[in-house]
Amino acid sequence: MSWLHQFPTRRNARPLGGTVLLVATALLATGTATAVPAAEPAADVRATTLGAQAAQSGRYFGTAVAAGKLGDTAYANILNREFNMVTPENELKWDTTERSRGSFDFAPADRIASHAASHGQRLRGHTLVWHSQLPGWVSSITDANTLRSVMNNHITTVMNHYKGKIHSWDVVNEAFADGGSGTHRASVFQNVLGDGFIEQAFRTARTADPAAKLCYNDYNIENWSAAKTQGVYRMVRDFKARGVPIDCVGFQAHFGTGGPPSNFQTTLSSFAALGVDVQITELDIAQAPSAAYTNTVRACMNVSRCTGITVWGIRDSDSWRSGENPLLFDGNGNKKAAFQATLTALGGSSATVAARTAGTRSAASAAALPGSFSWSSSGSLIAPKPDSAHPGIAGIKDPSVVHYNGRYHVFASTASASGYNLVYLNFTDWSQAGSATHHYLDRSAIGTGYRAAPQVFYYAPQRLWYLVYQTGNASFSTNPDISDPNGWSAPRHFYSAMPDIIRQNIGNGYWVDMWVICDSSNCYLFSSDDNGHLYRSQTTVGQFPGGFTNTVIAAQDSNRYALFEAANVYKVQDSNQYLLLVEAIGSDGKRWFRSWTANSPGGSWTALAASESNPFARANNVTFPAGAWTRDISHGEMIRAGYDQTLTIPGCRLQYLYQGLDPGATGDYNTLPWRLGLLTQTNSPC
């Protein structure tokens, strides 16, 4: 928070005891809130199923599914038990969805989608544009305008039907030739539309469903030195450089008995370094050697942007390579040795998890956040850097951070007796943070005057970076290039004026700390008032940044210091869980964070770690190996798993960039010597 006011310490604040004072619920007609105790800390959970174990590291483990086999009880039982991601094997291919021009059949794929939804599984879409399993009427098109129109209409119609239901789409499949050319294969799309058909498909897909991840998928691209791999790599690098929307690359991983090439992890990490997720999408290995499955899974686990693994079928008898017995279950549905090897590589155990005391999580919910947290803090990493045009800077605070194109991009407030400004810096590693150049954003069109408490994210539907900040109103600027500090637009406001409900409840507080998060349908704007209220407005993804209405009190506490400011809301990766953090001022006058969870940004919030004895982050659950340079854990932001408007964070191994303060510092709030440090979770279950 960065308003021009004084809050040095709060020794007269009402103590926040060991019980939860607030469970932040959406205020309905009753306006009531119900107290719910925070969950007990979880034991060290090791899951016994593939999907649950993968979820502990924020990943998924999925399988290809045939609609016609869902009636097979043994097949369905394994599917429901083991996997948290589903890919229709053939039901979303062109020869099923649009057998004749303009006539679409979604019934087979809908059956799979319905089954997945009823069992809490997510969907991958496979595939929109592919040279194979293509109806003859498409293959026979020779006119470029006709084929382009047909392709765009197919992508748009199929994606619109499943909008909001698909985790990621294989937009284009197998477009590169085998052999040493490293170029596109011959196909009706290549022959009639030329090299640009892939870019056209991705741009059309982004427009059709802005929230879905868009993937290129292919086989024989696992070996880093292969010409085909390098051809795909050049395409992805070019797409990222030119702003063509691509979010992920799928590696089919149909391996022989030897398993993946020795440089497979190098391939995954090299593509990830371009700023895309990588996924293993169709895994099967001849004769299913345990070591080959172990090596494949470990390669993914060792690359943070490898977000999931899909095996191509459930039982050996279900496989397109059934004669090679390439899967994790035999034809009778029994687990093979490769199953245990895979589970172990994911971090799991074959032993049944022992019974735990009431309040701890079960293996089935292992992906959920723990009920208590512990952290280790760095020393002070980032300090102010005054210059001749910006003298007298006392503190750097309120950081927002994304990791994009191999670099951390940090935006923060600078505070001095003369006011506030915004600053930007970037670096590749936290060890370089202290030496990074500070770019003052008053030199851009953002301009001078009160600008504070930034939040940055990439709004994928518009292919623009947004910087949200406070100016006395909720303001924002946009930029096509996050690394260009001079590229930000002049400030615009989300609201024409302070919403009436805030005006009626703010009292002697201040309107601060605006925060935007979007799901597949809506965007939500949160803000605080230093008076015990958290507000929320809402608009649609299509209307953003306009249309914010329906402002409500999303949470409140009668003790203003218990729900003070600096609210963060995040999506927990590969779960239906959202995390809310709110800064409080404690009984000792020091700042700390409380936490709640919900199943939607617009839903009701349930306490997670929300008391001084069980905080989300407070001096009493943080160790300082380099020395206790602060007792305040104040306004900051999570290190996210991505950088878009969904604000997705990993489910474990959390990190939080925050502002801290010399415990002996006193004086006017705006001249306190705030510095930035990094918390790393030490009790992660994975």
Side-chain angles (χ1 to χ4, degrees):
M1 175 273 171
S2 306
W3 195 264
L4 299 175
H5 69 319
Q6 293 183 349
F7 282 109
T9 57
R10 286 290 171 187
R11 302 197 182 277
N12 60 341
R14 178 158 64 91
L16 304 180
T19 59
V20 176
L21 294 177
L22 166 71
V23 172
T25 59
L27 295 183
L28 305 177
T30 60
T32 59
T34 305
V36 177
E40 292 296 318
D44 183 17
V45 175
R46 295 290 182 179
T48 58
T49 64
L50 299 167
Q53 189 57 53
Q56 289 196 15
S57 63
R59 294 173 171 86
Y60 65 80
F61 202 98
T63 187
V65 171
K69 294 180 180 178
L70 291 176
D72 179 331
T73 301
Y75 180 96
N77 285 344
I78 299 171
L79 168 63
N80 300 342
R81 182 186 73 230
E82 295 291 342
F83 302 101
N84 59 356
M85 182 71 77
V86 168
T87 303
E89 188 170 2
N90 292 294
E91 290 79 357
L92 282 173
K93 293 172 181 174
W94 203 316
D95 61 355
T96 297
T97 54
E98 194 184 6
R99 192 165 298 165
S100 59
R101 183 172 180 177
S103 179
F104 288 85
D105 180 8
F106 297 117
D110 283 352
R111 186 178 176 195
I112 295 175
S114 177
H115 184 95
S118 66
H119 292 86
Q121 296 160 320
R122 305 176 76 178
L123 280 173
R124 290 194 81 257
H126 176 80
T127 178
L128 294 166
V129 178
W130 186 30
H131 67 276
S132 186
Q133 291 185 239
L134 197 63
W137 70 267
V138 181
S139 302
S140 64
I141 296 173
T142 58
D143 176 70
N145 289 333
T146 301
L147 183 59
R148 186 177 298 108
S149 175
V150 163
M151 182 182 75
N152 290 345
N153 181 66
H154 180 81
I155 293 169
T156 301
T157 302
V158 176
M159 291 187 73
N160 279 343
H161 183 81
Y162 293 100
K163 192 169 186 177
K165 299 178 181 179
I166 297 288
H167 173 277
S168 44
W169 274 104
D170 292 333
V171 178
V172 176
N173 194 51
E174 301 177 3
F176 277 75
D178 295 321
S181 71
T183 59
H184 295 173
R185 71 164 67 240
S187 71
V188 64
F189 302 105
Q190 179 68 33
N191 298 344
V192 176
L193 298 178
D195 288 344
F197 86 89
I198 303 178
E199 177 176 341
Q200 177 69 52
F202 274 86
R203 291 195 182 278
T204 301
R206 176 68 85 214
T207 300
D209 187 353
K213 289 186 177 293
L214 308 181
C215 306
Y216 176 78
N217 191 58
D218 215 329
Y219 66 93
N220 285 354
I221 59 169
E222 294 81 13
N223 187 332
W224 178 241
S225 61
K228 186 175 182 181
T229 305
Q230 291 300 310
V232 175
Y233 179 84
R234 288 191 295 271
M235 178 192 73
V236 176
R237 183 178 61 191
D238 172 64
F239 279 13
K240 296 299 291 185
R242 293 192 296 110
V244 179
I246 184 169
D247 304 308
C248 39
V249 176
F251 298 81
Q252 293 184 13
H254 298 297
F255 295 136
T257 54
S262 59
N263 60 13
F264 183 37
Q265 184 175 319
T266 298
T267 304
L268 295 177
S269 60
S270 297
F271 275 89
L274 294 176
V276 293
D277 292 341
V278 291
Q279 303 169 354
I280 298 173
T281 55
E282 303 182 21
L283 175 63
D284 47 29
I285 306 178
Q287 306 308 323
S290 295
Y293 266 98
T294 294
N295 292 338
T296 304
V297 174
R298 283 181 177 168
C300 177
M301 297 296 288
N302 289 337
V303 176
S304 62
R305 292 201 70 157
C306 185
T307 57
I309 299 170
T310 294
V311 288
W312 205 245
I314 295 176
R315 303 166 300 194
D316 286 335
S317 55
D318 305 315
S319 171
W320 69 300
R321 304 169 68 185
S322 58
E324 298 176 285
N325 299 319
L327 297 174
L328 302 178
F329 297 87
D330 67 21
N332 295 318
N334 299 311
K335 297 174 182 176
K336 296 162 62 174
F339 172 92
Q340 182 54 46
T342 299
L343 188 65
T344 300
L346 289 168
S349 168
S350 61
T352 301
V353 178
R356 286 181 287 273
T357 56
T360 58
R361 293 178 295 147
S362 66
S365 61
L369 294 168
S372 65
F373 296 83
S374 59
W375 309 87
S376 176
S377 177
S378 70
S380 171
L381 294 177
I382 301 175
K385 290 188 177 180
D387 61 19
S388 58
H390 306 88
I393 298 174
I396 184 167
K397 19 181 353 234
D398 316 324
S400 182
V401 56
V402 293
H403 192 257
Y404 174 72
N405 273 355
R407 303 185 72 82
Y408 290 99
H409 300 263
V410 175
F411 295 78
S413 309
T414 59
S416 67
S418 60
Y420 279 75
N421 193 2
L422 299 178
V423 68
Y424 162 72
L425 56 153
N426 71 79
F427 45 86
T428 58
D429 186 80
W430 290 104
S431 62
Q432 303 169 347
S435 59
T437 300
H438 287 208
H439 303 274
Y440 292 95
L441 299 188
D442 58 0
R443 293 169 173 166
S444 72
I446 288 175
T448 59
Y450 179 68
R451 284 98 170 90
Q455 180 208 7
V456 69
F457 58 87
Y458 182 71
Y459 194 65
Q462 298 172 1
R463 299 192 286 275
L464 280 175
W465 291 94
Y466 272 73
L467 191 65
V468 177
Y469 48 95
Q470 61 193 47
T471 58
N473 199 328
S475 300
F476 67 91
S477 296
T478 60
N479 191 342
D481 181 3
I482 191 175
S483 64
D484 178 9
N486 296 315
W488 293 100
S489 66
R492 294 170 56 194
H493 298 327
F494 289 110
Y495 305 101
S496 59
M498 180 187 292
D500 288 342
I501 193 170
I502 301 178
R503 190 181 309 279
Q504 293 159 8
N505 288 276
I506 195 169
N508 61 352
Y510 300 88
W511 188 25
V512 295
D513 299 336
M514 290 71 188
W515 182 269
V516 171
I517 182 172
C518 305
D519 58 24
S520 59
S521 302
N522 297 301
C523 293
Y524 304 85
L525 175 53
F526 291 85
S527 59
S528 300
D529 68 359
D530 287 351
N531 195 34
H533 302 97
L534 178 69
Y535 303 98
R536 184 189 68 239
S537 303
Q538 184 173 324
T539 190
T540 65
V541 166
Q543 287 180 293
F544 181 85
F548 276 108
T549 57
N550 190 30
T551 304
V552 299
I553 298 175
Q556 65 180 334
D557 196 292
S558 58
N559 176 6
R560 65 184 298 183
Y561 304 122
L563 199 74
F564 199 59
E565 59 190 23
N568 301 181
V569 183
Y570 303 99
K571 175 71 167 65
V572 181
Q573 191 173 46
D574 290 328
S575 77
N576 293 321
Q577 193 174 46
Y578 286 82
L579 174 68
L580 166 67
L581 306 179
V582 181
E583 183 176 330
I585 299 178
S587 56
D588 58 357
K590 302 300 183 183
R591 291 171 181 251
W592 63 287
F593 276 96
R594 310 173 72 197
S595 61
W596 297 264
T597 59
N599 60 10
S600 165
S604 299
W605 298 99
T606 300
L608 181 65
S611 65
E612 287 199 6
S613 62
N614 182 31
F616 180 78
R618 186 172 177 263
N620 62 338
N621 70 339
V622 178
T623 59
F624 295 88
W629 63 279
T630 180
R631 302 300 291 171
D632 289 273
I633 309 296
S634 184
H635 194 142
E637 187 173 300
M638 284 286 184
I639 309 301
R640 300 178 225 158
Y643 49 82
D644 68 11
Q645 71 280 356
T646 64
L647 307 190
T648 302
I649 60 171
C652 57
R653 295 198 294 265
L654 301 177
Q655 289 189 299
Y656 192 79
L657 183 64
Y658 74 102
Q659 65 180 38
L661 182 68
D662 181 340
T666 59
D668 183 273
Y669 182 80
N670 303 314
T671 60
L672 292 175
W674 294 99
R675 304 291 185 266
L676 304 185
L678 184 68
L679 297 179
T680 299
Q681 186 184 8
T682 57
N683 71 327
S684 174
C686 53

